[in-house]
Amino acid sequence: MKVRIELTYKTPKGTNTTFSSDDMHAGKAILIAEDLESIGRTKNVTFIDSLESTWTLKELKKYMKGIQTEPHNVTVYFDGGFDLDTTNSGLGCAIYYEQNGKSFRLRKNALVEELDTNNEAEYAALHLGLQELELLKVHHLPVTFVGDSQVVINQLNGEWPCLEEELSKWADRVESKLKQLGIHPDYELISRKGNREADRLASQALKEIEITSTIETNREE
């Protein structure tokens, strides 16, 4: 979960001002807030999450302690590709998460035959990621979904209309699964180069190279 810190700072001579930080992972925010409080010049320290809900330091620490044994700080990279020659689609997703104080990366791909366009493959790749989150028992948490498809990201963000019937069905399917899992999505558009890992997984699927793996990583968020 990402939060921003809001606080009031008071100088030794009694001058007050307020500060608001950039968004950061909750664990990092807790460390910074505790350090600021140690100097004895801050008050009204609060944390604001992506839903604009307010947390005290005590509440946020209790929440973070409670989720340590479950997957959290989850980011899903997804990509899909459609082969015109074979009419097959390759789906790929790479999921980064933390659990029990460690960081993990899950990679999964799939070859499917029932899709007709590249945009459908992109939606299907995101949905594949959601299915993997369900298997990981990720629920009632914010999750960041990262992809290079402007169509999928902007349609799910509500910035672009979803006029094609098949894509509308996929958008509904994604939103239904998000609601079922209680996941609060944050969508991020990146370049294809930045999405290289998921793109490679999708390409391997088209070559009928099946990938299913989970490893511990040292990846810093």
Side-chain angles (χ1 to χ4, degrees):
M1 179 170 69
K2 288 188 176 182
V3 297
R4 69 178 185 273
I5 305 171
E6 293 189 354
L7 58 85
T8 300
Y9 178 83
K10 184 177 181 180
T11 69
K13 294 185 178 181
T15 301
N16 291 334
T17 189
T18 58
F19 289 100
S20 180
S21 74
D22 294 331
D23 289 343
M24 65 186 78
H25 285 298
K28 180 179 179 181
I30 289 171
L31 291 175
I32 292 174
E34 288 179 331
D35 185 64
L36 288 169
E37 285 194 334
S38 70
I39 65 177
R41 295 179 187 168
T42 60
K43 60 181 181 178
N44 302 326
V45 177
T46 57
F47 304 86
I48 315 297
D49 64 24
S50 59
L51 299 177
E52 293 300 313
S53 297
T54 301
W55 303 68
T56 65
L57 179 58
K58 183 178 180 180
E59 289 170 339
L60 190 59
K61 289 174 70 174
K62 182 178 179 180
Y63 170 79
M64 292 301 292
K65 183 178 180 180
I67 66 171
Q68 286 307 305
T69 59
E70 303 175 1
H72 58 282
N73 284 348
V74 183
T75 301
V76 179
Y77 293 82
F78 68 93
D79 196 32
F82 179 73
D83 189 323
L84 284 171
D85 293 330
T86 64
T87 68
N88 289 335
S89 297
L91 318 179
C93 66
I95 302 174
Y96 290 86
Y97 63 96
E98 296 175 17
Q99 188 174 15
N100 294 319
K102 299 178 180 180
S103 297
F104 297 91
R105 181 194 66 191
L106 181 157
R107 296 193 302 158
K108 176 72 176 179
N109 68 358
L111 179 67
V112 295
E113 300 177 353
E114 65 270 18
L115 307 179
D116 297 316
T117 67
N118 192 75
N119 286 331
E120 285 184 70
E122 294 279 7
Y123 265 109
L126 193 159
H127 194 265
L128 175 67
L130 284 171
Q131 291 175 311
E132 292 301 311
L133 293 184
E134 185 172 23
L135 292 173
L136 282 173
K137 301 188 184 302
V138 174
H139 58 89
H140 297 90
L141 288 174
V143 174
T144 300
F145 295 90
V146 185
D148 57 47
S149 170
Q150 291 190 47
V151 171
V152 172
I153 297 295
N154 289 328
Q155 286 182 348
L156 292 175
N157 266 335
E159 296 181 11
W160 288 8
C162 194
L163 302 177
E164 297 179 44
E165 182 179 357
E166 287 304 316
L167 297 189
S168 182
K169 289 179 180 178
W170 273 109
D172 289 344
R173 193 176 302 174
V174 166
E175 290 172 357
S176 177
K177 179 62 72 173
L178 288 169
K179 184 177 180 179
Q180 175 193 337
L181 298 177
I183 289 174
H184 306 293
D186 179 35
Y187 299 106
E188 181 180 337
L189 181 66
I190 59 172
S191 66
R192 185 172 182 180
K193 181 178 179 181
N195 202 30
R196 187 176 299 163
E197 184 173 25
D199 176 72
R200 178 173 173 79
L201 286 166
S203 297
Q204 288 174 316
L206 285 172
K207 297 175 183 176
E208 299 187 24
I209 302 172
E210 182 178 348
I211 305 292
T212 301
S213 69
T214 301
I215 63 170
E216 185 178 343
T217 74
N218 294 317
R219 181 174 183 264
E220 295 184 0
E221 297 294 339

